[in-house]
Amino acid sequence: MDIKLKYDYFVIRDRCRTGLVKYLEQILNDLPEILHPKMLDIGCGTGVPTLWLADKYGGTITAVDTDPQALSFLEYKIETNKTSSKIETRNVSFFDLIVEPGIYDLILAEGFLNVVGFETGFKKVMEKIKSGGYFVIHDEYKDHDKKNMLIQENNCKIVNSLLLDETIWWRDFYSQLEYEINKTENARLRGFFISEINEIEQYKSNPSLFKSIYYVVLKS
C-alpha cells in the first residue's frame, strides 16, 4: 500500500470530519472547569477530536486505536502541532489497555459503544473514570430510555445531551465528503473511499437512519 496515498486519504477525511467538532465543543461548554485533566480518547482514529481536546483542556490525553496507520498519521500531526508533551498514542484495543482503576478525569468514545455494545463498553469504561469524572459518548440514536436506565443503574447520570439529526450529518459531513471524493484530482484515492461511498449511498436511500447523540455522563 502506498502510504503517501493513504495519508492523502486521511487528510481529506480529517478535513471533512472537522465540520462535526463544533458539536463536541457545544456539548462540553457547560462543564465546570477541569484543571490539568487526565483524558482518554477511545478509538481515536486520526485524532481530530483528540487534538481538539488537548488544545481545549491542556492536560494530558492517551489516544487509543487498533489501526496503526491512523495512529501513525495522528503522530505526524502531533509532531507538526508540537503537542507531543500532551498526547500519548497507544496501538492497542481498549479492552487490553492496562491502567490504574479510576485514573481518568474525562473519557471520550466516538462510536466505540456502537461497535462493542453499549452495556459492555459502558461498564468497562466506568472502571477507568474517577468519581466526579466525565464520560463523553457519541453513539447512534436508538434505545435512549434503555441507555438512560443503564447509566443510572451504574451510579451515573446524564448531565448533557445533544442530538445530531440526519440534516446535520449531511450538511456538516457527508455532502463535503461526497464533494471531495468526486473531485477529479482525488480519483487516485477512490479505492480508499469504498466504505464512505457505501455510507453515502445508504444515507441517500434512508436518511432517517443517520442520527446520533452525544451524552455527557457524570460518574458519582
Side-chain angles (χ1 to χ4, degrees), residues 89-107:
T89 62
R90 298 281 299 275
N91 183 205
V92 64
S93 164
F94 168 74
F95 293 102
D96 295 327
L97 180 66
I98 301 174
V99 295
E100 298 173 25
I103 194 171
Y104 293 109
D105 298 285
L106 188 150
I107 294 180

Side-chain angles (χ1 to χ4, degrees), residues 42-53:
I42 306 170
C44 65
T46 56
V48 173
T50 310
L51 291 167
W52 181 86
L53 283 172

